[in-house]
Amino acid sequence: MKNLRRPTILVAVDDHSDRSTISSMTVEMGYPTVSVATGFSSWQTFPSSPAQIVITDWMPQTDRFELSTRIREISGDQCLIMVLSPRDGASDLQRALATGIDDFVAKPLVPEQFRARLLVAERTLAVGQSRRAAELENSRIRWLAGIGQTALTFQHDINNPLTALYGHLEMLQQNATLDAEAADDISSAIAQARRIAAIVSELAAAESPTTTRAVTDPSGRVSPESAAPKGL
Amino acid sequence: MIPTMISHSAIPTIRVLLVDDENSVRRIAARILSSRGFDVCECSCAEAALSIAEASQHEFDVLVTDAVMPGMSGVELASRITIVDPAIAVVLMSGYGEDDIGNPLAGCPSHHFLQKPFQADELVAVISRAANLRRAAAA
């Protein structure tokens, strides 16, 4: 079974027989698998080939806790660490959990149980990926909403002076003594103002109406949800 | 704020209560309307406009107001003036789109919306239309 989308597993187990058995099972289950013998090797291997699941054996006298701490520094919560251990001491368990280990698997391994734990780990990773994707999308939406607010502010701030500009130019146009050149200048200025108005209109059409309602507070100041800096 | 009344001899004269906190817009709009024969009373805030409307005994044909202003908004002003003078026509102006200001009066026949920036003919046309509808309804 081969599935490139499945999480990569780093098997950092000292005992050759255990390492071979575990690696065989993970490969058989379709997980890309990297095997190393010691904690030092796994630390060297991890940064160059980050795994989503690390399986390591329980040897408190070595640097397993340091390994988990350093993995957390690199991968945050995007990597699950499973420890193989014959031990179930509460103090060791608490210490291990405090350093970021996610799960214990008792030795000797029961293949069916081990496979089930891997599937649980894979589901946990998938949930984390979904949450991160949702957070990313949420950030993107907030960013787009910010653009919408900015567009609305521009619309407001430009349309008022444009209104006054139109008015003054049109009043000048009504001047009966205006010579042809001055009349052309005014017509040209009005045409340019129209161009600006069209750009503002396009900008306003692009912003999201659900995020850009203009609301002023009683003092005329803009609330955080609105974009109007002042009355029109 | 002391309102400014500018009278003209055009018949029939359309009486406009013009409210905008943006001086440049209000003043040029008043000049345009005056030059086209409207009677214009300018106010820079909704509170002053409401006081004038309450004291005027149905003097105005059309309320032309900015939609979003410090203090009382144009939308609120329109609602309150309509209580005083149910027949008055209302033109809301805004640099925002009508959807953006959340106008609860949208769709009401006596209420009109004028998107900024507008040109003189648009301003005159919407006010004339609003006034004519008001007068037709009153006749």
Side-chain angles (χ1 to χ4, degrees), chain B residues 40-128:
Chain B
V40 183
C41 176
E42 293 180 51
C43 289
S44 64
C45 67
E47 290 79 2
L50 183 61
S51 297
I52 290 169
E54 286 172 341
S56 70
Q57 299 295 315
H58 302 183
E59 179 183 339
F60 298 102
D61 295 298
V62 186
L63 166 68
V64 181
T65 181
D66 183 21
V68 181
M69 294 184 285
M72 188 190 303
S73 72
V75 175
E76 184 182 351
L77 172 65
S79 298
R80 294 178 67 168
I81 282 188
T82 303
I83 295 171
V84 175
D85 181 1
I88 195 169
V90 175
V91 175
L92 277 178
M93 307 178 289
S94 184
Y96 298 107
E98 189 171 19
D99 290 341
D100 296 322
I101 61 174
N103 178 16
L105 305 172
C108 179
S110 63
H111 288 70
H112 306 263
F113 182 77
L114 183 58
Q115 175 73 61
K116 293 178 181 177
F118 49 77
Q119 294 189 254
D121 287 344
E122 295 174 85
L123 176 66
V124 169
V126 71
I127 293 175
S128 298

Side-chain angles (χ1 to χ4, degrees), chain A:
Chain A
M1 183 167 67
K2 186 175 184 180
N3 185 342
L4 294 177
R5 299 181 68 85
R6 303 195 79 171
T8 297
I9 295 180
L10 172 63
V11 181
V13 175
D14 291 297
D15 181 84
H16 179 268
S17 175
D18 285 346
R19 188 169 69 250
S20 177
T21 300
I22 291 168
S23 297
S24 297
M25 282 193 286
T26 56
V27 169
E28 183 187 339
M29 290 178 73
Y31 295 104
T33 301
V34 178
S35 299
V36 294
T38 69
F40 180 74
S41 297
S42 51
W43 173 237
Q44 287 184 315
T45 304
F46 188 80
S48 61
S49 179
Q52 286 77 54
I53 299 174
V54 173
I55 301 170
T56 185
D57 52 354
W58 179 259
M59 297 183 71
Q61 71 275 23
T62 63
D63 58 356
R64 291 298 186 271
F65 293 137
E66 184 185 356
L67 171 66
S68 62
T69 301
R70 297 176 78 173
I71 286 174
R72 285 281 168 260
E73 289 172 356
I74 293 174
S75 291
D77 62 353
Q78 299 183 44
C79 175
L80 294 182
I81 303 171
M82 297 172 62
V83 167
L84 308 173
S85 173
R87 304 175 56 166
D88 59 357
S91 61
D92 286 335
L93 176 61
Q94 286 179 354
R95 184 180 168 210
L97 291 173
T99 59
I101 285 172
D102 299 288
D103 199 5
F104 280 82
V105 180
K107 289 201 293 187
L109 284 179
V110 178
E112 291 75 15
Q113 288 184 356
F114 178 68
R115 291 189 185 99
R117 301 296 275 274
L118 279 180
L119 291 175
V120 169
E122 192 173 0
R123 287 180 186 177
T124 302
L125 285 170
V127 168
Q129 286 173 351
S130 297
R131 178 178 53 76
R132 284 188 293 276
E135 288 171 352
L136 192 64
E137 178 64 9
N138 192 32
S139 297
R140 194 181 70 87
I141 289 170
R142 284 201 302 271
W143 181 73
L144 288 172
I147 291 177
Q149 295 281 13
T150 303
L152 191 66
T153 303
F154 284 161
Q155 180 188 12
H156 159 268
D157 287 348
I158 295 173
N159 281 344
N160 267 321
L162 268 183
T163 303
L165 187 62
Y166 276 147
H168 287 295
L169 290 170
E170 289 180 314
M171 291 300 285
L172 283 173
Q173 269 186 326
Q174 291 176 14
N175 185 345
T177 63
L178 211 60
D179 62 40
E181 190 174 0
D184 282 348
D185 287 342
I186 292 170
S187 295
S188 177
I190 290 175
Q192 297 309 310
R194 285 196 183 117
R195 285 183 62 190
I196 296 171
I199 292 168
V200 173
S201 179
E202 286 180 19
L203 195 62
E207 52 95 355
S208 166
T210 59
T211 57
T212 54
R213 177 143 298 179
V215 179
T216 51
D217 65 17
S219 69
R221 297 288 180 185
V222 182
S223 67
E225 293 75 25
S226 72
K230 188 172 177 288
L232 293 187

Side-chain angles (χ1 to χ4, degrees), chain B residues 4-24:
Chain B
T4 306
M5 181 71 81
I6 306 169
S7 297
H8 297 269
S9 58
I11 299 174
T13 302
I14 295 174
R15 295 155 299 182
V16 175
L17 180 56
L18 175 63
V19 190
D20 198 322
D21 65 303
E22 186 82 26
N23 290 339
S24 60

